[in-house]
Amino acid sequence: MSKTNQGYFFEDYHVGQSLHHATSRTLHDGDVAMYQALYGPRFALQSSWDFASPGSSLRNPVMDDLITFHTVFGKTVPDISLNAVANLGYAEGRFLARVESGDTIHARSEIIGLKQNSNGKTGIVWVRTRGFSNVDVPVLEYVRWVMVRKRDTAAPAPEAVVPDLAKVVSADALHIPDDLDWSNYDFAAAGEPHRYGDYAVGEIIDHVDGVTLTDPEHMMATRLWQNTAKVHFDVTARPDGKRLIYGGHIISLARALSFNGLANAQLLAAINAGAHANPAMAGDTIRAWSEVLDTAETTNPHVGALRLRLVATKGAAGALRGEDGKYLSDVLLDLDYWALIPR
């Protein structure tokens, strides 16, 4: 009997199935340094131990929210997307607590939807994942859906169950850290003067800079999160003989680029929706732009929330869909999220 893990195929899942993912991972300052080296984010709260109002506990190191996301996501790959064709989208994501150096992260998931594709070779799996630190502190939850291969194309199709997901996380449901004190926020140290009231719904922000993707960087990043999906490493796993770049790598690069114009959007609060619109490969040069979709006040009088669309593209800022309503071929990522910003 084989002792190796071949991963789950579409017919191995059933709605209501619970998965407790191995292996827990303890995060350290080294993860922060590696993240900085890979993506170069300049958001002050994650870059400076001293960027906070006097007396705030946020003077301790603040780990980038996407480190938490990638770590939890990576835990799920052997059980959810090892045999995936593509990671399709996200919904109902919420960042629930701050993760600090020394915290140990683990993840659990529940299968909430299944639908076999018409070709009979693949199916869509919807999964709700929750990440925890130090045994039982919830730090992150989100839904994603993945196209997964079937092991046996003759296996019967399960009854289709497509979950009804919220299009937007309600602003009332956003987690605002109790100790987030921005009453004396230092805009000069943050890098830009723009605050909550300076952004208008419908505004388009071109983040200007570009990054050319390379195989060594995205493979190192994907290994950092212990993401074992074959398509990111093995050129024989795809018919075109290319390594597919992990979608989370594009998310982090686009988020880092968004500093130019959104430097004060310091913390991620929620992921409302997301789509990896087209595949990214080494050699592609990506740029990013954002659209302000909504604004909301929070329970903290010094903190506002911006609902933003973050788009990573090989094309022009502001261009998203064609006349047919489909994503343009240059668009790689369309991410709808809430960010916290000083008022």
Side-chain angles (χ1 to χ4, degrees):
M1 180 181 293
S2 173
K3 292 184 174 62
T4 57
N5 175 26
Q6 300 299 317
Y8 289 77
F9 291 84
F10 179 71
E11 61 264 43
D12 298 324
Y13 296 107
H14 62 268
V15 173
Q17 182 176 1
S18 295
L19 300 166
H20 194 158
H21 307 294
T23 314
S24 299
R25 188 168 186 274
T26 303
L27 296 172
H28 295 289
D29 292 347
D31 294 288
V32 176
M34 181 63 77
Y35 191 87
Q36 288 278 352
L38 287 166
Y39 303 114
R42 292 176 286 160
F43 295 97
L45 201 58
Q46 292 85 33
S47 299
S48 170
W49 289 15
D50 293 324
F51 187 83
S53 297
S56 170
S57 66
L58 290 181
R59 291 175 67 85
N60 295 325
V62 176
M63 204 161 282
D64 195 292
D65 300 301
L66 287 175
I67 293 179
T68 303
F69 174 81
H70 292 309
T71 302
V72 172
F73 187 103
K75 299 296 95 190
T76 72
V77 169
D79 299 321
I80 302 298
S81 47
L82 195 63
N83 295 302
V85 177
N87 186 43
L88 300 177
Y90 308 95
E92 298 185 358
R94 291 197 307 148
F95 294 87
L96 301 171
R98 190 167 71 252
V99 173
E100 297 182 347
S101 181
D103 286 348
T104 298
I105 305 299
H106 70 93
R108 297 195 293 267
S109 295
E110 179 186 358
I111 306 302
I112 62 172
L114 293 170
K115 186 177 184 295
Q116 182 167 298
N117 289 326
S118 58
N119 63 13
K121 299 178 180 179
T122 59
I124 310 300
V125 180
W126 283 264
V127 57
R128 186 181 301 277
T129 294
R130 294 179 171 88
F132 302 85
S133 70
N134 305 324
V135 182
D136 61 356
V137 179
V139 295
L140 174 67
E141 64 180 16
Y142 63 89
V143 172
R144 70 168 170 136
W145 48 103
V146 188
M147 186 186 301
V148 180
R149 295 180 179 88
K150 292 185 71 174
R151 179 191 295 106
D152 177 8
T153 56
E159 179 183 356
V161 176
V162 179
D164 183 18
L165 301 171
K167 293 183 179 180
V168 180
V169 175
S170 168
D172 294 338
L174 302 180
H175 170 70
I176 313 299
D178 293 334
D179 51 3
L180 187 58
D181 183 355
W182 281 343
S183 57
N184 295 306
Y185 189 92
D186 189 339
F187 287 89
E192 288 181 353
H194 318 304
R195 64 177 72 214
Y196 172 75
D198 296 325
Y199 293 91
V201 174
E203 181 178 357
I204 300 292
I205 304 162
D206 182 354
H207 301 303
V208 180
D209 303 310
V211 175
T212 301
L213 304 172
T214 70
D215 271 335
E217 286 178 321
H218 88 83
M219 291 172 68
M220 183 179 297
T222 310
R223 286 195 182 100
L224 179 63
W225 318 123
Q226 297 177 322
N227 181 335
T228 56
K230 301 169 187 176
V231 292
H232 304 317
F233 302 101
D234 183 352
V235 295
T236 69
R238 287 174 52 88
D240 59 10
K242 295 181 179 180
R243 301 177 183 91
L244 179 68
I245 290 181
Y246 164 45
H249 189 64
I250 305 301
I251 292 174
S252 279
L253 284 172
R255 165 69 174 162
L257 291 173
S258 75
F259 175 88
N260 190 354
L262 284 166
N264 295 310
Q266 294 283 359
L267 296 171
L268 301 186
I271 295 175
N272 299 304
H276 298 291
N278 288 289
M281 306 293 177
D284 290 344
T285 297
I286 70 167
R287 292 176 171 80
W289 58 272
S290 293
E291 178 185 2
V292 181
L293 299 177
D294 200 359
T295 63
E297 297 181 356
T298 75
T299 54
N300 186 320
H302 306 292
V303 179
L306 296 180
R307 182 184 166 201
L308 300 164
R309 160 175 276 146
L310 174 61
V311 177
T313 181
K314 296 183 287 183
L320 186 66
R321 298 180 186 270
E323 294 182 359
D324 58 1
K326 296 181 180 179
Y327 285 112
L328 298 172
S329 60
D330 282 341
V331 174
L332 304 177
L333 170 73
D334 181 9
L335 187 71
D336 178 339
Y337 71 102
W338 285 104
L340 302 184
I341 187 169
R343 291 169 65 181

